[in-house]
Amino acid sequence: MEANIHITVEGQNGEIRQLEIPEGINLSLMEVLKASDYPILATCGGMALCATCHIHVLEGLENLEPHTDAELDMLDTLPDADEYSRLACQIRLTPSIDGLKIRVSGNN
Ligand code: FES
């Protein structure tokens, strides 16, 4: 039986939701957030070029793959980015990120 990946999301209005994603669906976190009706434009289609998928990681940062140079360059352009910032389109949903907790950024 396949396990699920659990992600806790704090929305811009402070509402907290638990997302349960089946393991092995091969999507990015951005795609799942969009599908869950979070207001993420993703105008670049997940190429780390628009930064509209900016999120803050509240728990589980150590379980994520490191930033790519492209992601870091884009985060550098955001006034509200900090050391917990990531681009959701660059995060693949793998079992190792189970338990991730994020906040959707207010500037999407
Ligand atoms: S969707 Fe454009 S940077 Fe992530």
Side-chain angles (χ1 to χ4, degrees):
M1 197 179 93
E2 295 217 327
N4 289 331
I5 301 166
H6 302 86
I7 299 177
T8 306
V9 183
E10 186 181 320
Q12 284 157 295
N13 55 6
E15 182 203 34
I16 294 181
R17 271 166 72 187
Q18 276 271 0
L19 303 182
E20 208 170 299
I21 302 127
E23 192 181 307
I25 56 171
N26 196 27
L27 292 177
S28 71
L29 180 57
M30 173 275 281
E31 291 167 305
V32 166
L33 291 174
K34 261 182 90 83
S36 304
D37 294 326
Y38 286 98
I40 289 180
L41 295 175
T43 44
C44 77
M47 305 292 289
L49 291 173
C50 71
T52 59
C53 67
H54 177 207
I55 58 161
H56 286 90
V57 179
L58 304 177
E59 283 174 28
L61 191 64
E62 66 282 5
N63 297 328
L64 301 179
E65 294 285 320
H67 305 88
T68 61
D69 288 346
E71 182 180 359
L72 268 184
D73 286 349
M74 188 47 59
L75 288 171
D76 268 350
T77 69
L78 300 177
D80 63 338
D82 60 26
E83 61 195 296
Y84 304 105
S85 291
R86 296 297 303 255
L87 296 178
C89 67
Q90 301 302 299
I91 297 175
R92 305 309 301 179
L93 296 172
T94 61
S96 60
I97 73 165
D98 185 39
L100 185 72
K101 188 169 176 189
I102 64 162
R103 185 172 67 230
V104 175
S105 178
N107 65 348
N108 297 311

PDB file of all heavy atoms in Angstrom, residues 19-53:
ATOM      1  N   LEU A  19      -2.847  18.981   4.007  1.00  0.00           N
ATOM      2  CA  LEU A  19      -2.992  18.352   2.693  1.00  0.00           C
ATOM      3  C   LEU A  19      -2.408  16.952   2.777  1.00  0.00           C
ATOM      4  O   LEU A  19      -1.361  16.734   3.393  1.00  0.00           O
ATOM      5  CB  LEU A  19      -2.254  19.149   1.625  1.00  0.00           C
ATOM      6  CG  LEU A  19      -2.650  20.619   1.449  1.00  0.00           C
ATOM      7  CD1 LEU A  19      -1.852  21.235   0.316  1.00  0.00           C
ATOM      8  CD2 LEU A  19      -4.136  20.773   1.210  1.00  0.00           C
ATOM      9  N   GLU A  20      -3.085  16.019   2.159  1.00  0.00           N
ATOM     10  CA  GLU A  20      -2.604  14.645   2.133  1.00  0.00           C
ATOM     11  C   GLU A  20      -2.457  14.253   0.674  1.00  0.00           C
ATOM     12  O   GLU A  20      -3.430  14.241  -0.075  1.00  0.00           O
ATOM     13  CB  GLU A  20      -3.630  13.749   2.830  1.00  0.00           C
ATOM     14  CG  GLU A  20      -3.006  12.537   3.451  1.00  0.00           C
ATOM     15  CD  GLU A  20      -3.999  11.805   4.341  1.00  0.00           C
ATOM     16  OE1 GLU A  20      -4.473  12.409   5.315  1.00  0.00           O
ATOM     17  OE2 GLU A  20      -4.279  10.647   4.028  1.00  0.00           O
ATOM     18  N   ILE A  21      -1.240  13.999   0.275  1.00  0.00           N
ATOM     19  CA  ILE A  21      -0.956  13.770  -1.133  1.00  0.00           C
ATOM     20  C   ILE A  21      -0.452  12.341  -1.304  1.00  0.00           C
ATOM     21  O   ILE A  21       0.463  11.918  -0.597  1.00  0.00           O
ATOM     22  CB  ILE A  21       0.121  14.759  -1.620  1.00  0.00           C
ATOM     23  CG1 ILE A  21      -0.370  16.191  -1.387  1.00  0.00           C
ATOM     24  CG2 ILE A  21       0.453  14.556  -3.083  1.00  0.00           C
ATOM     25  CD1 ILE A  21       0.593  17.032  -0.636  1.00  0.00           C
ATOM     26  N   PRO A  22      -1.028  11.594  -2.234  1.00  0.00           N
ATOM     27  CA  PRO A  22      -0.558  10.225  -2.420  1.00  0.00           C
ATOM     28  C   PRO A  22       0.892  10.213  -2.894  1.00  0.00           C
ATOM     29  O   PRO A  22       1.256  11.010  -3.765  1.00  0.00           O
ATOM     30  CB  PRO A  22      -1.480   9.658  -3.499  1.00  0.00           C
ATOM     31  CG  PRO A  22      -2.540  10.667  -3.709  1.00  0.00           C
ATOM     32  CD  PRO A  22      -2.099  11.969  -3.134  1.00  0.00           C
ATOM     33  N   GLU A  23       1.671   9.370  -2.312  1.00  0.00           N
ATOM     34  CA  GLU A  23       3.070   9.232  -2.701  1.00  0.00           C
ATOM     35  C   GLU A  23       3.144   8.790  -4.168  1.00  0.00           C
ATOM     36  O   GLU A  23       2.330   8.008  -4.632  1.00  0.00           O
ATOM     37  CB  GLU A  23       3.688   8.154  -1.809  1.00  0.00           C
ATOM     38  CG  GLU A  23       5.169   8.064  -1.864  1.00  0.00           C
ATOM     39  CD  GLU A  23       5.638   6.939  -0.950  1.00  0.00           C
ATOM     40  OE1 GLU A  23       5.257   6.949   0.227  1.00  0.00           O
ATOM     41  OE2 GLU A  23       6.350   6.077  -1.437  1.00  0.00           O
ATOM     42  N   GLY A  24       4.121   9.322  -4.887  1.00  0.00           N
ATOM     43  CA  GLY A  24       4.353   8.846  -6.250  1.00  0.00           C
ATOM     44  C   GLY A  24       3.568   9.575  -7.321  1.00  0.00           C
ATOM     45  O   GLY A  24       3.514   9.127  -8.468  1.00  0.00           O
ATOM     46  N   ILE A  25       2.938  10.709  -7.011  1.00  0.00           N
ATOM     47  CA  ILE A  25       2.195  11.403  -8.061  1.00  0.00           C
ATOM     48  C   ILE A  25       3.086  12.336  -8.879  1.00  0.00           C
ATOM     49  O   ILE A  25       2.662  12.871  -9.883  1.00  0.00           O
ATOM     50  CB  ILE A  25       0.969  12.190  -7.526  1.00  0.00           C
ATOM     51  CG1 ILE A  25       1.381  13.190  -6.458  1.00  0.00           C
ATOM     52  CG2 ILE A  25      -0.101  11.269  -7.016  1.00  0.00           C
ATOM     53  CD1 ILE A  25       0.248  14.126  -6.057  1.00  0.00           C
ATOM     54  N   ASN A  26       4.302  12.516  -8.446  1.00  0.00           N
ATOM     55  CA  ASN A  26       5.282  13.255  -9.246  1.00  0.00           C
ATOM     56  C   ASN A  26       4.837  14.668  -9.620  1.00  0.00           C
ATOM     57  O   ASN A  26       4.842  15.044 -10.792  1.00  0.00           O
ATOM     58  CB  ASN A  26       5.640  12.460 -10.509  1.00  0.00           C
ATOM     59  CG  ASN A  26       6.916  12.986 -11.139  1.00  0.00           C
ATOM     60  OD1 ASN A  26       7.776  13.548 -10.441  1.00  0.00           O
ATOM     61  ND2 ASN A  26       7.040  12.847 -12.448  1.00  0.00           N
ATOM     62  N   LEU A  27       4.417  15.417  -8.626  1.00  0.00           N
ATOM     63  CA  LEU A  27       4.059  16.820  -8.839  1.00  0.00           C
ATOM     64  C   LEU A  27       4.976  17.683  -7.993  1.00  0.00           C
ATOM     65  O   LEU A  27       5.633  17.196  -7.070  1.00  0.00           O
ATOM     66  CB  LEU A  27       2.614  17.079  -8.401  1.00  0.00           C
ATOM     67  CG  LEU A  27       1.502  16.443  -9.218  1.00  0.00           C
ATOM     68  CD1 LEU A  27       0.161  16.754  -8.582  1.00  0.00           C
ATOM     69  CD2 LEU A  27       1.534  16.925 -10.661  1.00  0.00           C
ATOM     70  N   SER A  28       4.984  18.972  -8.315  1.00  0.00           N
ATOM     71  CA  SER A  28       5.698  19.903  -7.438  1.00  0.00           C
ATOM     72  C   SER A  28       4.721  20.408  -6.385  1.00  0.00           C
ATOM     73  O   SER A  28       3.495  20.316  -6.545  1.00  0.00           O
ATOM     74  CB  SER A  28       6.252  21.075  -8.241  1.00  0.00           C
ATOM     75  OG  SER A  28       5.194  21.907  -8.658  1.00  0.00           O
ATOM     76  N   LEU A  29       5.269  20.978  -5.327  1.00  0.00           N
ATOM     77  CA  LEU A  29       4.422  21.569  -4.286  1.00  0.00           C
ATOM     78  C   LEU A  29       3.569  22.690  -4.874  1.00  0.00           C
ATOM     79  O   LEU A  29       2.408  22.858  -4.515  1.00  0.00           O
ATOM     80  CB  LEU A  29       5.310  22.078  -3.147  1.00  0.00           C
ATOM     81  CG  LEU A  29       4.602  22.729  -1.974  1.00  0.00           C
ATOM     82  CD1 LEU A  29       3.574  21.798  -1.352  1.00  0.00           C
ATOM     83  CD2 LEU A  29       5.620  23.162  -0.930  1.00  0.00           C
ATOM     84  N   MET A  30       4.127  23.465  -5.805  1.00  0.00           N
ATOM     85  CA  MET A  30       3.349  24.534  -6.447  1.00  0.00           C
ATOM     86  C   MET A  30       2.089  23.958  -7.104  1.00  0.00           C
ATOM     87  O   MET A  30       0.988  24.520  -6.962  1.00  0.00           O
ATOM     88  CB  MET A  30       4.229  25.249  -7.489  1.00  0.00           C
ATOM     89  CG  MET A  30       3.525  26.275  -8.344  1.00  0.00           C
ATOM     90  SD  MET A  30       2.709  25.572  -9.801  1.00  0.00           S
ATOM     91  CE  MET A  30       4.065  25.343 -10.929  1.00  0.00           C
ATOM     92  N   GLU A  31       2.222  22.864  -7.829  1.00  0.00           N
ATOM     93  CA  GLU A  31       1.062  22.283  -8.522  1.00  0.00           C
ATOM     94  C   GLU A  31      -0.008  21.834  -7.529  1.00  0.00           C
ATOM     95  O   GLU A  31      -1.209  21.993  -7.774  1.00  0.00           O
ATOM     96  CB  GLU A  31       1.524  21.133  -9.415  1.00  0.00           C
ATOM     97  CG  GLU A  31       2.350  21.624 -10.587  1.00  0.00           C
ATOM     98  CD  GLU A  31       3.092  20.499 -11.302  1.00  0.00           C
ATOM     99  OE1 GLU A  31       3.854  19.750 -10.648  1.00  0.00           O
ATOM    100  OE2 GLU A  31       2.910  20.366 -12.515  1.00  0.00           O
ATOM    101  N   VAL A  32       0.432  21.275  -6.414  1.00  0.00           N
ATOM    102  CA  VAL A  32      -0.532  20.826  -5.404  1.00  0.00           C
ATOM    103  C   VAL A  32      -1.213  22.016  -4.740  1.00  0.00           C
ATOM    104  O   VAL A  32      -2.421  21.999  -4.495  1.00  0.00           O
ATOM    105  CB  VAL A  32       0.175  19.929  -4.366  1.00  0.00           C
ATOM    106  CG1 VAL A  32      -0.680  19.725  -3.132  1.00  0.00           C
ATOM    107  CG2 VAL A  32       0.513  18.594  -5.001  1.00  0.00           C
ATOM    108  N   LEU A  33      -0.466  23.083  -4.467  1.00  0.00           N
ATOM    109  CA  LEU A  33      -1.073  24.270  -3.848  1.00  0.00           C
ATOM    110  C   LEU A  33      -2.087  24.905  -4.789  1.00  0.00           C
ATOM    111  O   LEU A  33      -3.172  25.316  -4.382  1.00  0.00           O
ATOM    112  CB  LEU A  33       0.015  25.283  -3.473  1.00  0.00           C
ATOM    113  CG  LEU A  33       0.948  24.862  -2.336  1.00  0.00           C
ATOM    114  CD1 LEU A  33       2.068  25.876  -2.173  1.00  0.00           C
ATOM    115  CD2 LEU A  33       0.196  24.676  -1.028  1.00  0.00           C
ATOM    116  N   LYS A  34      -1.747  24.987  -6.054  1.00  0.00           N
ATOM    117  CA  LYS A  34      -2.689  25.522  -7.041  1.00  0.00           C
ATOM    118  C   LYS A  34      -3.957  24.673  -7.087  1.00  0.00           C
ATOM    119  O   LYS A  34      -5.066  25.184  -7.079  1.00  0.00           O
ATOM    120  CB  LYS A  34      -2.038  25.523  -8.434  1.00  0.00           C
ATOM    121  CG  LYS A  34      -1.490  26.860  -8.853  1.00  0.00           C
ATOM    122  CD  LYS A  34      -0.911  26.772 -10.245  1.00  0.00           C
ATOM    123  CE  LYS A  34      -1.944  27.091 -11.294  1.00  0.00           C
ATOM    124  NZ  LYS A  34      -2.114  28.525 -11.513  1.00  0.00           N
ATOM    125  N   ALA A  35      -3.774  23.378  -7.126  1.00  0.00           N
ATOM    126  CA  ALA A  35      -4.917  22.458  -7.197  1.00  0.00           C
ATOM    127  C   ALA A  35      -5.760  22.527  -5.930  1.00  0.00           C
ATOM    128  O   ALA A  35      -6.939  22.178  -5.941  1.00  0.00           O
ATOM    129  CB  ALA A  35      -4.421  21.030  -7.428  1.00  0.00           C
ATOM    130  N   SER A  36      -5.155  22.994  -4.827  1.00  0.00           N
ATOM    131  CA  SER A  36      -5.878  23.115  -3.568  1.00  0.00           C
ATOM    132  C   SER A  36      -6.442  24.518  -3.392  1.00  0.00           C
ATOM    133  O   SER A  36      -6.814  24.915  -2.289  1.00  0.00           O
ATOM    134  CB  SER A  36      -4.939  22.794  -2.397  1.00  0.00           C
ATOM    135  OG  SER A  36      -4.369  21.521  -2.563  1.00  0.00           O
ATOM    136  N   ASP A  37      -6.455  25.300  -4.492  1.00  0.00           N
ATOM    137  CA  ASP A  37      -7.088  26.619  -4.538  1.00  0.00           C
ATOM    138  C   ASP A  37      -6.350  27.705  -3.768  1.00  0.00           C
ATOM    139  O   ASP A  37      -6.960  28.692  -3.363  1.00  0.00           O
ATOM    140  CB  ASP A  37      -8.550  26.555  -4.059  1.00  0.00           C
ATOM    141  CG  ASP A  37      -9.394  25.747  -5.012  1.00  0.00           C
ATOM    142  OD1 ASP A  37      -9.114  25.802  -6.222  1.00  0.00           O
ATOM    143  OD2 ASP A  37     -10.308  25.052  -4.556  1.00  0.00           O
ATOM    144  N   TYR A  38      -5.069  27.546  -3.565  1.00  0.00           N
ATOM    145  CA  TYR A  38      -4.298  28.665  -3.029  1.00  0.00           C
ATOM    146  C   TYR A  38      -4.003  29.635  -4.172  1.00  0.00           C
ATOM    147  O   TYR A  38      -3.819  29.208  -5.319  1.00  0.00           O
ATOM    148  CB  TYR A  38      -3.011  28.161  -2.360  1.00  0.00           C
ATOM    149  CG  TYR A  38      -3.306  27.510  -1.041  1.00  0.00           C
ATOM    150  CD1 TYR A  38      -3.410  26.128  -0.943  1.00  0.00           C
ATOM    151  CD2 TYR A  38      -3.535  28.281   0.087  1.00  0.00           C
ATOM    152  CE1 TYR A  38      -3.738  25.528   0.268  1.00  0.00           C
ATOM    153  CE2 TYR A  38      -3.859  27.693   1.294  1.00  0.00           C
ATOM    154  CZ  TYR A  38      -3.954  26.312   1.375  1.00  0.00           C
ATOM    155  OH  TYR A  38      -4.291  25.739   2.565  1.00  0.00           O
ATOM    156  N   PRO A  39      -3.957  30.939  -3.880  1.00  0.00           N
ATOM    157  CA  PRO A  39      -3.835  31.934  -4.946  1.00  0.00           C
ATOM    158  C   PRO A  39      -2.405  32.068  -5.466  1.00  0.00           C
ATOM    159  O   PRO A  39      -1.725  33.055  -5.229  1.00  0.00           O
ATOM    160  CB  PRO A  39      -4.311  33.216  -4.267  1.00  0.00           C
ATOM    161  CG  PRO A  39      -3.958  33.023  -2.832  1.00  0.00           C
ATOM    162  CD  PRO A  39      -4.095  31.555  -2.557  1.00  0.00           C
ATOM    163  N   ILE A  40      -1.962  31.059  -6.157  1.00  0.00           N
ATOM    164  CA  ILE A  40      -0.609  31.069  -6.703  1.00  0.00           C
ATOM    165  C   ILE A  40      -0.720  31.149  -8.226  1.00  0.00           C
ATOM    166  O   ILE A  40      -1.319  30.274  -8.857  1.00  0.00           O
ATOM    167  CB  ILE A  40       0.135  29.797  -6.253  1.00  0.00           C
ATOM    168  CG1 ILE A  40       0.433  29.931  -4.765  1.00  0.00           C
ATOM    169  CG2 ILE A  40       1.392  29.566  -7.070  1.00  0.00           C
ATOM    170  CD1 ILE A  40       1.149  28.779  -4.151  1.00  0.00           C
ATOM    171  N   LEU A  41      -0.188  32.207  -8.788  1.00  0.00           N
ATOM    172  CA  LEU A  41      -0.360  32.427 -10.233  1.00  0.00           C
ATOM    173  C   LEU A  41       0.503  31.476 -11.044  1.00  0.00           C
ATOM    174  O   LEU A  41       0.074  30.972 -12.079  1.00  0.00           O
ATOM    175  CB  LEU A  41      -0.011  33.873 -10.583  1.00  0.00           C
ATOM    176  CG  LEU A  41      -0.944  34.927  -9.979  1.00  0.00           C
ATOM    177  CD1 LEU A  41      -0.422  36.329 -10.298  1.00  0.00           C
ATOM    178  CD2 LEU A  41      -2.362  34.748 -10.502  1.00  0.00           C
ATOM    179  N   ALA A  42       1.736  31.266 -10.606  1.00  0.00           N
ATOM    180  CA  ALA A  42       2.668  30.384 -11.321  1.00  0.00           C
ATOM    181  C   ALA A  42       2.745  30.750 -12.796  1.00  0.00           C
ATOM    182  O   ALA A  42       2.658  29.892 -13.673  1.00  0.00           O
ATOM    183  CB  ALA A  42       2.267  28.919 -11.137  1.00  0.00           C
ATOM    184  N   THR A  43       2.927  32.034 -13.070  1.00  0.00           N
ATOM    185  CA  THR A  43       2.919  32.495 -14.459  1.00  0.00           C
ATOM    186  C   THR A  43       4.061  31.920 -15.289  1.00  0.00           C
ATOM    187  O   THR A  43       3.977  31.872 -16.510  1.00  0.00           O
ATOM    188  CB  THR A  43       2.969  34.036 -14.515  1.00  0.00           C
ATOM    189  OG1 THR A  43       3.940  34.493 -13.588  1.00  0.00           O
ATOM    190  CG2 THR A  43       1.637  34.633 -14.151  1.00  0.00           C
ATOM    191  N   CYS A  44       5.118  31.488 -14.651  1.00  0.00           N
ATOM    192  CA  CYS A  44       6.227  30.918 -15.430  1.00  0.00           C
ATOM    193  C   CYS A  44       6.073  29.412 -15.628  1.00  0.00           C
ATOM    194  O   CYS A  44       6.895  28.782 -16.283  1.00  0.00           O
ATOM    195  CB  CYS A  44       7.573  31.219 -14.783  1.00  0.00           C
ATOM    196  SG  CYS A  44       7.945  30.195 -13.348  1.00  0.00           S
ATOM    197  N   GLY A  45       5.031  28.841 -15.046  1.00  0.00           N
ATOM    198  CA  GLY A  45       4.789  27.418 -15.252  1.00  0.00           C
ATOM    199  C   GLY A  45       5.725  26.506 -14.471  1.00  0.00           C
ATOM    200  O   GLY A  45       5.833  25.322 -14.774  1.00  0.00           O
ATOM    201  N   GLY A  46       6.403  27.063 -13.482  1.00  0.00           N
ATOM    202  CA  GLY A  46       7.261  26.217 -12.651  1.00  0.00           C
ATOM    203  C   GLY A  46       8.718  26.236 -13.034  1.00  0.00           C
ATOM    204  O   GLY A  46       9.460  25.308 -12.716  1.00  0.00           O
ATOM    205  N   MET A  47       9.148  27.314 -13.682  1.00  0.00           N
ATOM    206  CA  MET A  47      10.533  27.405 -14.162  1.00  0.00           C
ATOM    207  C   MET A  47      11.438  28.231 -13.250  1.00  0.00           C
ATOM    208  O   MET A  47      12.537  28.608 -13.642  1.00  0.00           O
ATOM    209  CB  MET A  47      10.555  28.036 -15.566  1.00  0.00           C
ATOM    210  CG  MET A  47       9.682  27.337 -16.578  1.00  0.00           C
ATOM    211  SD  MET A  47      10.298  25.707 -16.982  1.00  0.00           S
ATOM    212  CE  MET A  47      11.749  26.157 -17.925  1.00  0.00           C
ATOM    213  N   ALA A  48      10.980  28.560 -12.050  1.00  0.00           N
ATOM    214  CA  ALA A  48      11.736  29.404 -11.115  1.00  0.00           C
ATOM    215  C   ALA A  48      12.013  30.778 -11.706  1.00  0.00           C
ATOM    216  O   ALA A  48      13.067  31.360 -11.498  1.00  0.00           O
ATOM    217  CB  ALA A  48      13.057  28.739 -10.694  1.00  0.00           C
ATOM    218  N   LEU A  49      11.039  31.321 -12.441  1.00  0.00           N
ATOM    219  CA  LEU A  49      11.234  32.608 -13.112  1.00  0.00           C
ATOM    220  C   LEU A  49      10.257  33.697 -12.676  1.00  0.00           C
ATOM    221  O   LEU A  49      10.466  34.861 -13.007  1.00  0.00           O
ATOM    222  CB  LEU A  49      11.103  32.425 -14.634  1.00  0.00           C
ATOM    223  CG  LEU A  49      12.217  31.633 -15.307  1.00  0.00           C
ATOM    224  CD1 LEU A  49      11.884  31.383 -16.766  1.00  0.00           C
ATOM    225  CD2 LEU A  49      13.544  32.362 -15.176  1.00  0.00           C
ATOM    226  N   CYS A  50       9.185  33.354 -11.977  1.00  0.00           N
ATOM    227  CA  CYS A  50       8.195  34.392 -11.670  1.00  0.00           C
ATOM    228  C   CYS A  50       8.066  34.686 -10.172  1.00  0.00           C
ATOM    229  O   CYS A  50       7.570  35.738  -9.800  1.00  0.00           O
ATOM    230  CB  CYS A  50       6.826  34.002 -12.234  1.00  0.00           C
ATOM    231  SG  CYS A  50       6.041  32.638 -11.338  1.00  0.00           S
ATOM    232  N   ALA A  51       8.461  33.753  -9.339  1.00  0.00           N
ATOM    233  CA  ALA A  51       8.429  33.904  -7.878  1.00  0.00           C
ATOM    234  C   ALA A  51       7.021  34.042  -7.304  1.00  0.00           C
ATOM    235  O   ALA A  51       6.876  34.361  -6.126  1.00  0.00           O
ATOM    236  CB  ALA A  51       9.305  35.067  -7.418  1.00  0.00           C
ATOM    237  N   THR A  52       5.993  33.831  -8.085  1.00  0.00           N
ATOM    238  CA  THR A  52       4.635  33.910  -7.528  1.00  0.00           C
ATOM    239  C   THR A  52       4.309  32.696  -6.662  1.00  0.00           C
ATOM    240  O   THR A  52       3.261  32.665  -6.020  1.00  0.00           O
ATOM    241  CB  THR A  52       3.570  34.036  -8.633  1.00  0.00           C
ATOM    242  OG1 THR A  52       3.673  32.898  -9.486  1.00  0.00           O
ATOM    243  CG2 THR A  52       3.754  35.311  -9.430  1.00  0.00           C
ATOM    244  N   CYS A  53       5.186  31.714  -6.641  1.00  0.00           N
ATOM    245  CA  CYS A  53       4.954  30.520  -5.809  1.00  0.00           C
ATOM    246  C   CYS A  53       5.793  30.563  -4.530  1.00  0.00           C
ATOM    247  O   CYS A  53       6.014  29.530  -3.906  1.00  0.00           O
ATOM    248  CB  CYS A  53       5.255  29.252  -6.601  1.00  0.00           C
ATOM    249  SG  CYS A  53       7.001  29.093  -7.013  1.00  0.00           S
TER     250      CYS A  53
END
